Amino acid sequence: MNSIHLHTLSNGITVVHRQVLHTEISHLGIMLDIGSRDELAGEEGLAHFWEHMAFKGTKKKNNMQIINRLEVYGGELNAYTTKEKICFHASILSPYFERALELLTDITFESVFPEKELEKERSVILEEMSMYYDAPEEAIQDDFDELLFPNHPLGVNILGTTETVQAFQKKDLETFIERNLDTSRIVFSSIGKLDPRKVFAWAEKHLGSIQAKKQIVKRVAPSPMIPQTKVIKRGITQSHVALGRQSFAIENPNRLAFFLLVNLLGGPGMNSLLNVSVRERHGLVYSIEASLTSFLDSGYWAIYFGTEPNQVNKSLKLIHKEFAKLQEKELTTPQLTKIKSQLKGQLAMAEEGNLNFMLMMAKNLLDREKIESLEEIFEQIDLIDSAHIQSLATEMLNPATLSCLIFEP
């Protein structure tokens, strides 16, 4: 990891740059440790609304100037909101790096949220909400969050509700930012061939002038989930199913071993246990996947699949059968070696993507205050044994502890 360079500005903003000499493209982003879980009652969807409105005008630029600032050089400007993060990022040819940094700084810290643009973007987000509602494979994942984290911000859809989105005003955005913005919880991350000294100089020039701001933000951990099964009727032709439970936080010592187990169950490989059983052997689904999501103080794991309504119970029985196998018998040494090698390969390939690596650096610095090398992660994977996997299977794959959400026609 010698190619990764760190610098902290006087206002507390962390700057990280990875120098990669074989590319002409720079990827850069400003990530804030602010997300939808930081919204108060009545603010649901406000973080995502901010993400949209940041592009609609600043003290220096109108929305069309923002849109064209990088596009005319073949660059891309984008953003996203999660439960715990907001990120504004860009990809551009390296000669235009400073231009992109200036733009990212402007939209992050100097947006003015014009009233007429606010009304237009409100309509855009309501259309986005309708689009997700019409895609059951997307909607079920959002609705499942509510089942896993009831009466908690982690269980609220990032997009918010129709009522809250329709009510947002400029002052709501300003209040939310004022309450949550903390310059010590911001990372500027970049990757490309540029010399880190040049990147740090530009960061000092554009981000160093941002006034230091310190906030004490208290995030309340969710209460333990009470397992339940919920069936919702939708205007669809196929049933969609989500199955899972609360899981491990980012720094929990069980997280990596459980990630290995979840990857074995339903990771991206076509040889995952659930894909082989439910799709390949029985032809019940087009796709089935398992995922693990970790937050600072909690997390969840889930299985998602779609199937014909009369095949839901059979699919669930096959899934529970795979659970039982993992609970009843330890993996053999060859089996464990195989799944470790597969996970290592997947992680290595994911690191090949420079954009993803740039975002990963920012998130890891905010969540863990460090960036682990692949070698360090591989060493931790090597320490996982079969007994640990079986113990986690017994604890986390117990059907009595799982919640299930079904969308039915």
Side-chain angles (χ1 to χ4, degrees), residues 13-203:
I13 296 175
T14 298
V15 182
V16 58
H17 176 68
R18 184 186 189 191
Q19 189 173 26
V20 178
L21 297 177
H22 61 263
T23 179
E24 297 300 320
I25 304 298
S26 287
H27 302 280
L28 53 161
I30 297 175
M31 187 176 291
L32 304 95
D33 196 29
I34 304 171
S36 63
R37 73 173 300 179
D38 299 308
E39 297 160 351
L40 303 177
E43 291 182 340
E44 294 86 354
L46 191 53
H48 176 254
F49 204 89
W50 171 19
E51 173 213 317
H52 276 243
M53 285 301 301
F55 295 85
K56 300 306 172 183
T58 70
K59 295 175 182 177
K60 301 176 184 176
K61 305 175 188 70
N62 62 38
N63 64 322
M64 293 309 298
Q65 290 172 322
I66 291 171
I67 289 172
N68 287 303
R69 186 76 176 160
L70 302 183
E71 296 279 347
V72 293
Y73 297 103
E76 296 179 357
L77 179 66
N78 214 329
Y80 64 85
T81 305
T82 70
K83 299 291 172 92
E84 295 185 328
K85 303 286 182 285
I86 294 175
C87 183
F88 303 100
H89 60 94
S91 299
I92 192 75
L93 285 167
S94 292
Y96 305 105
F97 183 100
E98 186 184 9
R99 187 183 186 92
L101 171 55
E102 185 276 331
L103 178 61
L104 288 173
T105 304
D106 201 26
I107 64 174
T108 303
F109 300 102
E110 301 293 342
S111 291
V112 294
F113 314 124
E115 295 286 355
K116 66 175 184 178
E117 296 295 335
L118 189 146
E119 292 306 318
K120 285 193 286 187
E121 208 57 28
R122 192 193 314 279
S123 298
V124 170
I125 293 174
L126 291 172
E127 287 298 323
E128 184 180 1
M129 294 170 70
S130 298
M131 180 183 72
Y132 274 95
Y133 182 84
D134 289 341
E137 66 278 5
E138 301 281 353
I140 195 168
Q141 298 186 40
D142 290 324
D143 286 9
F144 193 50
D145 288 353
E146 187 176 353
L147 214 60
L148 297 174
F149 302 103
N151 304 312
H152 189 275
L154 288 176
V156 176
N157 191 321
I158 290 170
L159 300 180
T161 68
T162 301
E163 292 73 24
T164 56
V165 171
Q166 287 177 334
F168 291 149
Q169 301 298 324
K170 177 178 179 176
K171 68 179 187 312
D172 299 315
L173 290 163
E174 294 170 340
T175 300
F176 179 76
I177 294 170
E178 175 64 26
R179 190 180 72 238
N180 287 287
L181 189 67
D182 180 340
T183 49
S184 68
R185 294 164 53 227
I186 297 173
V187 171
F188 169 63
S189 177
S190 65
I191 187 168
K193 71 176 186 179
L194 294 172
D195 187 305
R197 290 169 295 184
K198 182 174 288 188
V199 172
F200 293 159
W202 283 332

Side-chain angles (χ1 to χ4, degrees), residues 193-333:
K193 71 176 186 179
L194 294 172
D195 187 305
R197 290 169 295 184
K198 182 174 288 188
V199 172
F200 293 159
W202 283 332
E204 288 281 2
K205 176 182 176 181
H206 296 285
L207 290 166
S209 61
I210 302 301
Q211 185 176 355
K213 196 170 186 299
K214 187 69 178 174
Q215 291 285 6
I216 299 175
V217 178
K218 294 182 179 180
R219 287 171 166 168
V220 179
S223 301
M225 164 194 104
I226 299 174
Q228 58 177 306
T229 296
K230 185 176 181 180
V231 179
I232 298 177
K233 298 290 186 180
R234 296 282 295 267
I236 51 180
T237 58
Q238 186 186 46
S239 289
H240 292 262
V241 181
L243 178 73
R245 57 165 286 177
Q246 288 183 12
S247 182
F248 302 114
I250 289 169
E251 292 285 16
N252 190 293
N254 287 311
R255 188 182 69 89
L256 186 58
F258 188 54
F259 180 52
L260 182 64
L261 175 57
V262 171
N263 198 61
L264 169 63
L265 264 177
M270 293 181 66
N271 64 341
S272 71
L273 297 179
L274 296 181
N275 190 70
V276 169
S277 173
V278 186
R279 174 180 167 143
E280 298 300 330
R281 289 187 185 145
H282 294 88
L284 300 180
V285 300
Y286 174 72
S287 67
I288 183 167
E289 62 181 43
S291 62
L292 173 64
T293 301
S294 292
F295 304 116
L296 288 173
D297 51 11
S298 185
Y300 69 93
W301 79 272
I303 293 169
Y304 300 102
F305 66 92
T307 189
E308 294 300 313
N310 61 352
Q311 302 286 13
V312 169
N313 289 336
K314 184 175 181 179
S315 299
L316 289 171
K317 285 179 181 178
L318 290 172
I319 291 169
H320 292 156
K321 186 177 179 180
E322 295 301 324
F323 291 172
K325 290 178 185 177
L326 292 166
Q327 293 165 345
E328 293 165 2
K329 186 178 179 180
E330 287 187 11
L331 295 172
T332 65
T333 299

Side-chain angles (χ1 to χ4, degrees), residues 387-405:
H388 195 182
I389 296 292
Q390 185 183 31
S391 173
L392 289 171
T394 300
E395 176 188 359
M396 304 300 292
L397 308 185
N398 180 354
T401 68
L402 304 181
S403 286
C404 184
L405 176 62

